[in-house]
Amino acid sequence: MKLTTSITILALSILLAISGCVKKTNSAQRPVFATRSLDACLVISIDLSGSFADDFGERAYPMVLGLVESFIEQNMGGDCKIVLSQMSGHDQVLLFEGSPDELRQRFGSPEAMAKFLLEHSSPNRSPVYVATRETIDYVNAMPDVTEQTRTVTVLLSDLVDSEQHPPTKSREGFRMLDALTRYRESGGNLALYYVAQNEVPRWNEIVERAGFEPGQFAIHNDLTSSPSMPEFR
């Protein structure tokens, strides 16, 4: 009986040793959440703070409508998305992500979208660096935005950051710069409109340090009456 038991234990030990050396065969992986790369993505971040309130209704919001219309026309039949975000004291920066059809369904009219944007704003602050970084981080994390996607992020703002504590402002500025660098490395483009004149040199330095090349970005100050629009083809 003892001999039989010993033989059985030995056989099991050999079997286990052999099985540990055999490479496991993985079954064919068939992902059920496969992601398709977008053809194009338009990201619009709108300054809804008090310092930019007058420009929102007079120039910025009409530009939003023009950008969306142009984007839809140039990508007719393509797989594309629109992302909307805001810069103000409101905690929620990202407001919408979806296809042009989903945008139309969400907002039945231009007036409805303007009302929605203003309802999700708090004009007491203008955290430009934080809001820009959160917007860019969101785009960087979108699984369907790849290096093959034509991506343009548009900032409609005077880009005057309201942070009064210099160390905090500096820290958030570097965090934003890091996000912009990663965005540029993935093929993203940047367009800045209605930038306060005294902020233009600062933002020229920011986009240069992020590595953007001519043709990948545009900066227009608040005096530009007919700024060039990005092409989405």
Side-chain angles (χ1 to χ4, degrees), residues 38-231:
L38 293 173
D39 296 316
C41 182
L42 171 62
V43 184
I44 303 177
S45 184
I46 311 164
D47 192 338
L48 298 176
S49 68
S51 66
F52 198 67
D54 293 338
D55 274 322
F56 173 76
E58 293 180 8
R59 297 193 295 176
Y61 189 66
M63 178 176 278
V64 171
L65 299 179
L67 285 167
V68 170
E69 182 180 356
S70 176
F71 179 74
I72 292 173
E73 288 178 355
Q74 294 182 42
N75 290 281
M76 193 69 69
D79 192 4
C80 56
K81 277 186 177 180
I82 296 169
V83 175
L84 300 178
S85 69
Q86 62 85 30
M87 303 178 193
S88 78
H90 197 283
D91 291 336
Q92 185 178 352
V93 173
L94 278 300
L95 301 179
F96 174 85
E97 176 200 336
S99 68
D101 285 341
E102 290 170 334
L103 184 72
R104 294 191 191 97
Q105 293 170 6
R106 178 66 179 81
F107 309 107
S109 67
E111 293 77 15
M113 187 164 72
K115 183 174 182 289
F116 171 82
L117 291 172
L118 292 173
E119 286 176 346
H120 288 77
S121 68
S122 179
N124 60 317
R125 289 191 299 117
S126 182
V128 170
Y129 295 166
V130 172
T132 300
R133 188 251 309 160
E134 289 189 15
T135 298
I136 296 299
D137 277 345
Y138 185 87
V139 178
N140 287 340
M142 289 175 65
D144 45 5
V145 172
T146 69
E147 292 184 359
Q148 286 70 48
T149 305
R150 298 184 304 279
T151 307
V152 180
T153 295
V154 177
L155 306 184
L156 302 176
S157 169
D158 55 18
L159 296 180
V160 177
D161 194 290
S162 62
E163 178 58 58
Q164 299 298 309
H165 186 236
T168 301
K169 188 173 184 177
S170 177
R171 182 179 67 251
E172 294 300 341
F174 279 109
R175 292 181 70 190
M176 178 191 68
L177 178 61
D178 180 64
L180 285 169
T181 302
R182 287 184 283 108
Y183 170 76
R184 190 268 310 162
E185 290 171 347
S186 298
N189 300 275
L190 193 64
L192 315 179
Y193 295 102
Y194 310 126
V195 182
Q197 294 176 59
N198 61 344
E199 288 291 328
V200 171
R202 186 199 314 272
W203 280 87
N204 271 316
E205 182 179 352
I206 287 171
V207 297
E208 181 180 347
R209 293 180 68 173
F212 288 93
E213 299 288 341
Q216 297 177 326
F217 73 95
I219 300 178
H220 295 279
N221 66 39
D222 53 4
L223 293 181
T224 307
S225 57
S226 300
S228 58
M229 294 291 103
E231 295 185 3

